[in-house]
Amino acid sequence: MRIVRFTPSKKTSLGSDPQFGILESQDSIRLISGDPLYSGISPLEEKISTSDVKLLAPVIPRSKIVCIGKNFADHAAEMGGEVPKEPIIFLKPNTSVIGPGEVIRWPEDSSRVDHEVELAIVISRICKDVPKEKYSDVIFGYTIANDVTARDLQKSDGQWTRAKSFDTFCPIGPWIETEFKPDKQKISAYVADELKQSARLDQMVFDIPTIIAFVTRVMTLLPGDLILTGTPSGIGPMIPGSKVSVAIEGIGELVNMVAK
């Protein structure tokens, strides 16, 4: 099931506030009542055409975005490092989130802003110290993320917070896929329609059960929290004015433009 969050782009009876729905086809969204992460899913009879809406980021974390660094061996190598012995974690603020079709803003502070395609886990409930065999109990679904990074600032700062945290530096979407099962699906990134990153999810150093268990040993996760699971090799700059597309087989494609 694909859960979308949207706002009407045309005059309808729905008003103007963001709403949730189930994407039933390329052309149709079935409305649902409530918030999928807090009050459950209650499908309604009413449907709306996808041409009448603007898709938003499918979730805005109320708490945090946890990221896993160097989780593909080829990316660790291109960054001049070795594969870590345990997951490396860092945070992005929820204010960095934007949705499909929104603009990634190149900050004045940076001279190089890179793309990083990643699989994102959407957490379903409050959880702590989750054993590996119970990992699926705390996952609502998966979406696609672009862990946008000011690479020059990452290098000059010697740590990752500023480089990863600018507003618009975490595009996610276009929806949450609740039935996705990570395996050997292709993960890729294109800039101006040129392939830049390409790998398979089974090439991750640490798998999803390991990531969930490790992160929840460190911190409590809340409903709607995101975990970004790492990017493969091929990272590189996104030129202002270019279209950036990040995709995961079985979920879809997330497209954004870059501008100064």
Side-chain angles (χ1 to χ4, degrees):
M1 181 166 51
R2 290 178 168 176
I3 303 295
V4 293
R5 180 171 164 267
F6 64 90
T7 187
S9 60
K10 297 182 179 180
K11 187 175 181 180
T12 70
S13 62
L14 300 178
S16 58
D17 293 333
Q19 299 188 47
F20 290 98
I22 300 170
L23 186 69
E24 294 194 329
S25 70
Q26 184 177 351
D27 303 317
S28 177
I29 295 171
R30 180 178 293 276
L31 303 185
I32 59 178
S33 63
D35 185 318
L37 288 164
Y38 291 90
S39 57
I41 297 173
S42 297
L44 305 175
E45 292 297 322
E46 186 174 3
K47 296 184 181 181
I48 187 170
S49 170
T50 54
S51 63
D52 292 337
V53 306
K54 170 181 169 55
L55 293 184
L56 305 173
V59 61
I60 301 292
R62 300 182 185 182
S63 174
K64 54 193 170 293
I65 303 163
V66 185
C67 305
I68 308 298
K70 298 182 179 180
N71 199 29
F72 284 79
D74 55 0
H75 174 58
E78 76 176 346
M79 295 298 291
E82 297 180 351
V83 172
K85 294 181 180 179
E86 60 183 7
I88 297 172
I89 61 176
F90 60 94
L91 301 177
K92 290 172 80 84
N94 57 8
T95 50
S96 64
V97 170
I98 59 173
E102 295 188 71
V103 176
I104 299 167
R105 296 290 178 183
W106 186 307
E108 294 182 0
D109 310 59
S110 178
S111 60
R112 176 174 166 175
V113 176
D114 284 10
H115 56 84
E116 295 188 14
V117 58
E118 308 202 12
L119 174 69
I121 304 167
V122 183
I123 297 299
S124 63
R125 61 179 177 85
I126 298 173
C127 56
K128 181 74 168 71
D129 295 320
V130 179
K132 288 185 180 181
E133 62 271 18
K134 298 285 188 178
Y135 81 97
S136 62
D137 293 350
V138 304
I139 296 176
F140 179 76
Y142 296 86
T143 189
I144 307 167
N146 186 351
D147 178 20
V148 179
T149 305
R151 194 67 62 196
D152 53 337
L153 301 184
Q154 180 182 9
K155 182 177 180 180
S156 64
D157 288 356
Q159 49 88 13
W160 301 350
T161 301
R162 180 166 65 132
K164 301 279 191 176
S165 297
F166 287 95
D167 290 354
T168 77
F169 268 31
C170 191
I172 63 170
W175 40 67
I176 301 170
E177 176 55 76
T178 64
E179 298 174 12
F180 184 77
K181 304 295 183 186
D183 189 17
K184 298 181 180 180
Q185 296 93 340
K186 183 179 178 180
I187 178 171
S188 57
Y190 292 80
V191 178
D193 297 322
E194 181 179 350
L195 181 63
K196 297 294 186 179
Q197 293 181 271
S198 181
R200 298 188 319 274
L201 293 178
D202 64 345
Q203 293 174 291
M204 290 193 297
V205 176
F206 302 105
D207 62 12
I208 304 301
T210 301
I211 290 170
I212 293 287
F214 184 85
V215 171
T216 60
R217 283 204 304 273
V218 177
M219 65 188 77
T220 299
L221 297 178
L222 305 181
D225 280 354
L226 295 175
I227 302 178
L228 276 54
T229 58
T231 196
S233 66
I235 60 168
M238 303 179 293
I239 306 303
S242 63
K243 179 181 75 171
V244 180
S245 171
V246 291
I248 297 177
E249 182 182 8
I251 298 181
E253 179 182 38
L254 171 64
V255 179
N256 298 90
M257 297 296 294
V258 182
K260 281 197 171 182

